[in-house]
């Protein structure tokens, strides 16, 4: 018998890639989301369109035994969605409801294991004021002071997963993702993240033109290519380590360096105009000591490799979008 998995948020960026990976490993996969994947057919054996805030949907999707559940559904987006303050109530209410339901119903049905995708956004803002030496080791989470309500909800939900583990013996795995990117991710519309937004701007702008960047471009981040994120998720799920553990890249770059790398890949020379915009913390980088210690593995591929694949895909999207206008 094939092992069975449920992927919540299977219509999203990471979820749709995860479904493909699980299928290639021989799992029977049910996906659930408010929508089908935007850029490709789902690879799932069964795909339920449903709202995970609704407990009746959980009754319906858990009508059989699942060896593994991946809970990726969340109301989220990039800085343009998370840091303006305009979506705070929805972000907290919607994602918390999904996680409340997930834990109650998965415990009741006795599923095998559940994976929860937390985020680097739960780390305290006071440790991320430096562009060169931010502190993001797993044990630096407290005293808590995330810089967004999105981060607070992640921290609350992490604690809820750990409570169900402690009190009800639910087998949980918690990862804190750090800026995952790759092909078939949102690249326009306001919810896209920095790598996709910059790839789009570079692809849309003729050589010699100008692109806009929020802030002074000196804020630092690290970006992890989707394939290594999936590898980390699968390794964590197969391990006996509960987490929380960072899944991210340690190759920290400034947004200016990221933009320059994308211009090089595109073979374009563009000038940068700095404009005010939502920024988030000043510096952020993954700390991979714990994942290395617990799983004997950590992401290691260069940023440039993933960016080349992502730029190529976004460039094609931009071309077909223009054609269809
Ligand atoms: P995504 O927005 O592409 O996917 C999330 C999916 O959840 C979407 O398809 C959305 O429709 C679905 N969803 C939202 N509300 C729902 C509801 N009520 N019922 C059913 N489905 C619902 O995001 P992603 O980049 O694939 O991220 C997946 C998970 O990883 C999220 O929990 C996110 O917070 C976390 N994460 C992602 C990153 C990143 O860089 N992508 C970083 C840190 C954490």
């Amino acid at each position: 018998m094939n092992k069975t998995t449920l992927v919540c948020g299977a219509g999203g960026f990471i979820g749709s890639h995860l479904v493909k990976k699980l299928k290639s490993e021989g799992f029977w996969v049910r996906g659930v989301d408010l929508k089908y994947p935007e850029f490709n057919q789902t690879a799932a054996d069964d795909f339920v369109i449903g709202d995970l805030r609704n407990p009746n949907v959980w009754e319906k999707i858990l009508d059989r035994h699942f060896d593994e559940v991946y809970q990726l559904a969340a109301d989220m987006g990039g800085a343009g969605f998370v840091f303006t303050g305009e979506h705070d109530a929805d972000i907290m209410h919607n994602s918390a409801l999904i996680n409340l339901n997930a834990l109650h119903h998965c415990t009741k049905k006795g599923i095998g294991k559940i994976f929860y995708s937390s985020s680097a956004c739960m780390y305290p803002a006071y440790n991320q004021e430096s562009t060169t030496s931010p502190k993001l080791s797993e044990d630096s989470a407290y005293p808590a002071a995330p810089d967004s309500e999105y981060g607070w909800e992640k921290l609350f939900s992490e604690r809820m997963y750990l409570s169900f583990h402690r009190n009800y013996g639910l087998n949980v795995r918690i990862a804190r993702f750090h800026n995952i990117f790759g092909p078939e991710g949102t690249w326009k519309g306001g919810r896209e993240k920095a790598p996709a937004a910059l790839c789009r701007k570079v692809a849309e702008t003729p050589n010699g033109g100008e692109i806009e960047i929020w802030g002074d471009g000196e804020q630092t981040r690290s970006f992890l290519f989707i394939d290594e994120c999936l590898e980390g998720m699968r390794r964590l799920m197969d391990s006996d380590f509960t987490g929380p553990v960072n899944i991210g890249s340690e190759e920290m770059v400034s947004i200016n360096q990221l933009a320059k790398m994308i211009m090089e890949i595109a073979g374009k020379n563009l000038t940068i105009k700095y404009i005010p915009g939502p920024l988030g913390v000043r510096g952020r980088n993954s700390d991979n000591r714990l994942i290395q210690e617990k799983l004997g593995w950590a992401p290691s591929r260069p940023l440039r490799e993933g960016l080349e694949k992502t730029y190529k895909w976004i460039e094609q999207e931009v071309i077909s979008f223009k054609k269809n206008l």
Side-chain angles (χ1 to χ4, degrees):
M1 266 274 286
N2 288 356
K3 274 190 161 184
T4 49
T5 60
L6 175 69
V7 178
C8 303
F13 167 54
I14 300 173
S16 57
H17 282 282
L18 175 66
V19 169
K20 273 186 248 170
K21 182 163 176 78
L22 292 168
K23 280 306 301 168
S24 74
E25 290 180 26
F27 285 90
W28 184 90
V29 184
R30 171 175 289 161
V32 54
D33 202 299
L34 293 169
K35 59 174 178 69
Y36 290 105
E38 208 176 327
F39 304 107
N40 227 324
Q41 295 280 324
T42 179
D45 296 281
D46 181 34
F47 197 101
V48 177
I49 293 289
D51 188 336
L52 294 165
R53 291 170 301 180
N54 180 349
N56 297 332
V57 169
W58 283 93
E59 292 287 346
K60 186 172 145 194
I61 57 178
L62 291 178
D63 64 352
R64 58 183 293 171
H65 176 72
F66 282 98
D67 298 299
E68 296 187 358
V69 175
Y70 292 84
Q71 198 323 71
L72 303 168
D75 201 355
M76 66 163 303
F81 185 77
V82 168
F83 294 118
T84 59
E86 286 163 32
H87 310 284
D88 287 349
D90 285 347
I91 287 172
M92 295 197 93
H93 178 259
N94 293 340
S95 298
L97 262 186
I98 295 170
N99 289 313
L100 285 159
N101 281 333
L103 286 164
H104 172 73
H105 289 275
C106 287
T107 304
K108 198 169 93 180
K109 297 280 174 165
I111 57 104
K113 280 181 208 173
I114 183 164
F115 175 98
Y116 175 57
S117 52
S118 181
S119 164
C121 289
M122 49 61 63
Y123 283 111
Y126 57 78
N127 280 337
Q128 302 173 75
E129 285 162 7
S130 149
T131 54
T132 50
S133 51
K135 185 172 178 200
L136 290 103
S137 54
E138 287 80 352
D139 60 5
S140 69
Y142 297 96
D147 73 332
S148 65
E149 301 304 349
Y150 169 75
W152 277 106
E153 190 281 327
K154 289 290 187 194
L155 190 58
F156 163 73
S157 288
E158 275 191 11
R159 298 191 67 102
M160 196 161 54
Y161 279 80
L162 291 172
S163 301
F164 273 73
H165 174 60
R166 252 188 337 267
N167 296 162
Y168 296 121
L170 186 67
N171 205 354
V172 309
R173 301 285 182 276
I174 302 171
R176 294 173 178 160
F177 291 159
H178 292 239
N179 288 316
I180 316 302
F181 76 101
E184 297 180 18
T186 304
W187 59 274
K188 64 174 170 54
R191 285 188 183 232
E192 64 279 16
K193 312 272 181 57
L198 286 172
C199 284
R200 185 198 69 230
K201 289 176 190 184
V202 171
E204 282 173 348
T205 311
N207 199 9
E210 181 182 83
I211 57 165
E212 291 180 343
I213 280 187
W214 289 339
D216 61 6
E218 291 304 314
Q219 62 274 32
T220 52
R221 293 290 185 277
S222 71
F223 302 96
L224 183 69
F225 190 60
I226 181 71
D227 290 3
E228 284 204 296
C229 171
L230 299 177
E231 183 68 28
M233 291 172 76
R234 293 290 301 117
R235 283 174 184 259
L236 179 62
M237 203 61 158
D238 285 346
S239 79
D240 53 14
F241 183 51
T242 299
V245 64
N246 292 328
I247 296 189
S249 160
E250 283 185 332
E251 185 181 343
M252 187 167 72
V253 291
S254 70
I255 299 301
N256 285 327
Q257 287 170 326
L258 178 70
K260 296 230 165 71
M261 211 184 269
I262 296 170
M263 287 181 214
E264 273 170 31
I265 291 168
K268 291 186 184 180
N269 195 3
L270 308 173
T271 50
I272 297 176
K273 182 179 173 192
Y274 298 99
I275 57 162
L279 293 175
V281 294
R282 196 71 186 137
R284 177 173 286 164
N285 193 13
S286 186
D287 181 327
N288 288 350
R289 286 172 296 177
L290 187 66
I291 193 169
Q292 185 67 53
E293 179 195 323
K294 296 291 181 185
L295 306 186
W297 174 91
S300 63
R301 305 301 308 166
L303 169 62
R304 177 151 183 148
E305 191 180 286
L307 271 183
E308 281 170 3
K309 294 180 187 157
T310 308
Y311 182 78
K312 209 164 150 190
W313 180 78
I314 291 184
E315 191 183 32
Q316 279 313 310
E317 286 292 304
V318 168
I319 293 168
S320 16
F321 183 72
K322 274 194 192 148
K323 258 194 213 149
N324 295 331
L325 277 181

